[in-house]
């Protein structure tokens, strides 16, 4: 069938033609905005899940809902930046939010004060003003100048919340890849959200990240579990997976045969990104506006090759030989979370020797710890890929790694 009419979108963060299985999260977000607009508190959300389950897409849906209700949206993708770069990014984004609230000519007193506090925050990045705000506004003495990220960010967001309240609108801070924030940065955001809740101001933060973020947030601030909900999204189950495949095709006048649809769901495991990849692969193979079982089977090699060459391979290529061996040993034990001791045994080593390697893989976002002593892949079906990529488990000598670490 015509490639230009292919309705599937296997791109990072790209919204599919049909979004299914996420009604609960979307409804929760709408309630959050409605309650904040009425000066009532509500727990915000940090969406967790494996790679490719649609966390970024869900944040995009939240953005559209907020904008439809005329809320100001600030979008960030977290990275492993130091506190100064983190401040610079916030200064730029929050300045934009303030200007979108209202043109300067119509600023309320609350908005002028927010600009003054933001100026103080900018001065804390660099006394010379590393970020040019483009306005001649005196810094607010005693606000956002504590040399403490948590106190400073709280001052800024509270003043911005008061400015938004004066214009009868709200602000949504959307942060993707939130697990990459440093502990101080995460603590600062949680501290600020806590104060916003206490003041009943119309500013909220929605995050999205890998499964370990729920534990990281709880460790950062003990009260965080009362500030946030942590909905976990995963594969689409039951009819939802079939709808995600069939409905985009149907909109183009193409029908999945029942057995073809069943096979496609089984191959993808119902994971949203994999559904898009398989749908994209089968589209040019099918003909006569019908997708058959044979079409799906023929597309499977193309589908797996595409995933292996990009989605999976880009992650494996970042690892050292010892890290690769650890991942391969885990894959050999199965797709479930694995005990550190069992992985070490499979490698002919002990847990103490491989503890640093396991920690490195967690820090790289390739593994997470669902329970104490266990680790699991952050990417669905990564175990199958590892078995294809490394048919045999080859364990490099630990001495070489230790010697290299000492020399550096």
């Amino acid at each position: 069938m015509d490639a230009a009419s292919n309705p599937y979108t296997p791109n990072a963060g790209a919204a599919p033609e049909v979004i299914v299985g996420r009604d609960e999260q979307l409804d929760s977000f709408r309630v959050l905005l409605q309650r904040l607009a009425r000066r009532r508190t509500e727990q915000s959300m940090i969406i967790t899940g494996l790679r490719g389950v649609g966390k970024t897409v869900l944040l995009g849906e939240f953005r559209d809902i907020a904008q439809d209700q005329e809320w100001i949206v600030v979008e960030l993708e977290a990275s492993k930046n130091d506190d100064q770069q983190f401040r610079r990014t916030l200064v730029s984004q929050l300045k934009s939010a303030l200007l979108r609230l209202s043109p300067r000519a119509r600023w309320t007193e609350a908005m002028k004060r927010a600009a003054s506090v933001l100026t103080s925050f900018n001065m804390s990045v660099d006394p010379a003003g590393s970020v040019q705000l483009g306005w001649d506004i005196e810094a607010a003495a005693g606000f956002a100048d504590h040399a403490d990220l948590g106190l400073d960010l709280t001052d800024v967001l509270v003043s911005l919340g008061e400015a938004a309240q004066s214009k009868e609108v709200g602000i949504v801070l959307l942060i993707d890849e939130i697990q990459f924030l440093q502990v101080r940065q995460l603590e600062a955001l949680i501290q600020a959200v806590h104060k916003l809740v206490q003041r009943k101001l119309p500013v909220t933060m929605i995050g999205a990240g890998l499964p370990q973020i729920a534990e990281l947030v709880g460790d950062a601030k003990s009260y965080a579990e009362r500030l946030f909900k942590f909905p976990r999204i995963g594969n689409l189950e039951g009819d939802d997976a079939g709808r995600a495949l069939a409905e985009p095709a149907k909109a183009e006048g193409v029908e999945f045969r029942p057995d073809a649809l069943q096979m496609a769901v089984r191959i993808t495991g119902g994971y949203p990104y994999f559904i898009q990849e398989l749908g994209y692969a089968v589209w040019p193979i099918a003909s006569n506006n019908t997708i058959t079982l044979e079409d799906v089977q023929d597309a499977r090699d193309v589908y797996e090759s595409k995933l292996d060459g990009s989605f999976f391979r880009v992650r494996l290529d970042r690892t050292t030989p010892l890290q690769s061996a650890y991942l391969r040993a885990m894959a050999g034990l199965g797709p479930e979370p694995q005990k550190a001791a069992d992985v070490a045994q499979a490698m002919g080593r002990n847990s103490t020797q491989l503890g640093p390697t396991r920690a490195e893989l967690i820090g790289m976002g390739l593994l997470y710890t669902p329970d104490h002593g266990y680790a699991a892949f952050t990417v669905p079906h990564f175990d199958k890929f590892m078995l294809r990529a490394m048919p045999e488990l080859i364990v490099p000598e630990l001495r070489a790694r230790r010697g290299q670490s000492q020399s550096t």
Side-chain angles (χ1 to χ4, degrees), residues 80 180 212 318 357-367:
K80 296 179 180 180
F180 288 134
Q212 67 262 34
R318 295 161 46 206
T357 302
R358 181 174 180 270
E360 290 161 1
L361 290 167
I362 292 171
M364 295 166 66
L366 294 175
L367 300 179

Side-chain angles (χ1 to χ4, degrees), residues 59-75:
L59 288 185
E61 292 297 300
F62 291 164
R63 177 197 60 229
D64 293 345
I65 290 170
Q67 289 177 339
D68 285 346
Q69 298 186 25
E70 299 185 346
W71 281 55
I72 303 299
V73 177
V74 177
E75 295 182 274

Side-chain angles (χ1 to χ4, degrees), residues 46-359:
I46 296 180
I47 306 294
T48 72
L50 303 181
R51 295 289 184 194
V53 297
K55 300 184 297 296
T56 301
V57 168
L58 194 52
L59 288 185
E61 292 297 300
F62 291 164
R63 177 197 60 229
D64 293 345
I65 290 170
Q67 289 177 339
D68 285 346
Q69 298 186 25
E70 299 185 346
W71 281 55
I72 303 299
V73 177
V74 177
E75 295 182 274
L76 300 172
E77 182 174 324
S79 57
K80 296 179 180 180
N81 289 327
D82 60 23
D83 289 353
Q84 290 297 86
Q85 184 57 48
F86 181 63
R87 284 176 181 257
R88 291 188 186 100
T89 301
L90 286 174
V91 167
S92 176
Q93 294 288 345
L94 297 180
K95 172 197 171 185
S96 175
L98 186 60
L99 292 173
R100 279 181 282 154
L101 279 173
S102 173
R104 286 189 63 184
R106 295 202 294 271
W107 274 6
T108 63
E109 287 302 315
M111 295 188 69
K112 293 176 183 176
R113 183 176 181 280
S116 183
V117 174
L118 187 57
T119 300
S120 293
F121 191 70
N122 185 42
M123 295 298 289
S124 71
V125 175
D126 182 346
S130 61
V131 178
Q132 299 299 320
L133 289 176
W135 57 47
D136 184 17
I137 296 176
E138 187 175 349
F143 293 91
D145 57 4
H146 311 288
D148 178 283
L149 182 60
L151 294 175
D152 292 349
L153 185 56
T154 297
D155 284 348
V156 171
L157 291 183
V158 165
S159 67
L160 201 60
E162 292 170 345
Q165 194 171 71
S166 74
K167 301 297 292 186
E168 297 185 347
V169 297
I171 298 173
V172 178
L173 183 62
L174 300 177
I175 305 180
D176 203 1
E177 302 287 5
I178 195 171
Q179 75 277 352
F180 288 134
L181 292 176
Q182 294 187 13
V183 173
R184 289 187 304 275
Q185 298 161 3
L186 191 57
E187 287 177 343
L189 283 166
I190 296 169
Q191 182 177 335
V193 170
H194 191 207
K195 186 61 67 175
L196 292 166
V197 169
Q198 292 174 338
R199 300 283 185 88
K200 296 183 179 181
L201 292 171
V203 181
T204 190
M205 183 190 91
I206 306 292
L210 294 175
Q212 67 262 34
I213 189 58
E215 182 179 356
L216 294 175
V217 169
D219 290 343
K221 291 290 184 183
S222 61
Y223 53 74
E225 61 188 24
R226 287 169 282 157
L227 284 178
F228 297 97
K229 299 174 183 176
F230 296 92
R232 180 165 180 174
I233 61 174
N235 61 316
L236 301 174
E237 298 180 351
D239 294 339
D240 286 338
R243 288 177 56 208
L245 276 161
E247 290 187 12
K250 187 176 181 180
E252 294 292 334
V254 176
E255 179 185 7
F256 265 88
R257 292 277 175 83
D259 56 351
L261 191 61
Q262 184 178 16
M263 175 61 73
V265 170
R266 187 178 69 80
I267 291 172
T268 62
Y271 284 100
Y273 180 74
F274 296 168
I275 284 173
Q276 298 303 310
E277 282 285 14
L278 184 57
Y280 192 84
V282 78
W283 191 262
I285 293 174
S287 59
N288 299 322
N289 292 334
T290 302
I291 297 175
T292 67
L293 177 61
E294 291 74 19
D295 295 331
V296 172
Q297 292 171 333
D298 290 344
R300 185 168 187 170
D301 286 345
V302 175
Y303 158 79
E304 288 185 349
S305 177
K306 174 74 180 299
L307 289 176
D308 287 0
S310 56
F311 186 73
F312 293 130
R313 175 59 64 178
V314 71
R315 289 165 172 81
L316 182 60
D317 285 349
R318 295 161 46 206
T319 61
T320 66
L322 185 57
Q323 291 167 349
S324 298
Y326 196 97
L327 296 173
R328 174 59 177 79
M330 277 190 61
L333 296 172
E336 303 83 10
Q338 301 298 335
K339 287 184 180 180
D342 292 343
V343 179
Q345 184 178 14
M347 296 177 69
R349 302 292 187 267
N350 61 54
S351 296
T352 302
Q353 288 176 303
L354 294 170
T357 302
R358 181 174 180 270

